[in-house]
Amino acid sequence: MNREGTITITKSLAMNQEECGTLIGIKGDLIGKYYKVSPNRRLLIGRDAARCDIVMTNMAVSGVHFEVQYDPNTKQYTVTDLSSNGMIQDHATRLRKNEPVTVAPGTSFLIGSNDDEIILG
């Protein structure tokens, strides 16, 4: 705690210092939200609350839109587009459905209608 009585939350403090990844919403439904991506665990994102770990409301987002995994050994993410409306990596490359891609921290993705965007931390 500093002199003003506030606490600065760092990424490592927020993530309990466990070696994990982070999914950060930067536009749309998830803006300003941080989600822990536990090591070697599949995180599902989409509209279907019964099947997804992170739920979005945009109608351009599929029931299960994509999955993310984090490998603490390589410090890389694996992202798989499972959707009908697709995803665009770093505002340039459209992912191929059901084909996992390995990406580094700092990679961003537009989701569905491009109204939603996340970045992997």
Side-chain angles (χ1 to χ4, degrees), residues 2 16 20-21 36 40 45 58 60 63-65 68 78 82 91 101 114-115 118:
N2 65 23
N16 297 318
C20 64
K36 181 164 108 175
N40 303 308
I45 300 93
N58 185 331
V64 178
H65 201 91
V68 176
T78 301
L82 304 170
H91 295 264
V101 295
N114 303 334
D115 292 332
I118 58 106

Side-chain angles (χ1 to χ4, degrees), residues 6-118:
T6 60
I7 297 174
T8 301
I9 302 295
T10 62
K11 179 180 174 184
S12 61
L13 178 60
M15 297 300 167
N16 297 318
Q17 298 183 354
E18 176 186 1
E19 180 62 41
C20 64
T22 309
L23 183 148
I24 305 161
I26 58 174
K27 180 179 168 188
D29 277 355
L30 304 179
I31 192 168
K33 296 180 182 172
Y34 288 72
Y35 299 92
K36 181 164 108 175
V37 184
S38 296
N40 303 308
R41 182 181 174 273
R42 189 171 76 146
L43 186 69
L44 295 173
I45 300 93
R47 277 195 350 263
D48 187 341
R51 298 180 353 196
C52 293
D53 303 294
I54 299 173
V55 179
M56 301 177 70
T57 60
N58 185 331
M59 292 307 291
V61 173
S62 296
V64 178
H65 201 91
F66 67 105
E67 73 175 34
V68 176
Q69 292 179 305
Y70 178 72
D71 182 340
N73 298 316
T74 63
K75 299 189 182 337
Q76 303 253 330
Y77 295 87
T78 301
V79 177
T80 307
D81 178 9
L82 304 170
S83 72
S84 337
N85 292 330
M87 296 177 65
I88 298 174
Q89 177 182 334
D90 290 328
H91 295 264
T93 306
R94 181 171 289 280
L95 298 187
R96 292 184 176 172
K97 186 173 182 173
N98 296 317
E99 290 188 22
V101 295
T102 301
V103 299
T107 304
S108 68
F109 293 93
L110 293 168
I111 304 164
S113 64
N114 303 334
D115 292 332
D116 295 285
E117 186 172 5
I118 58 106

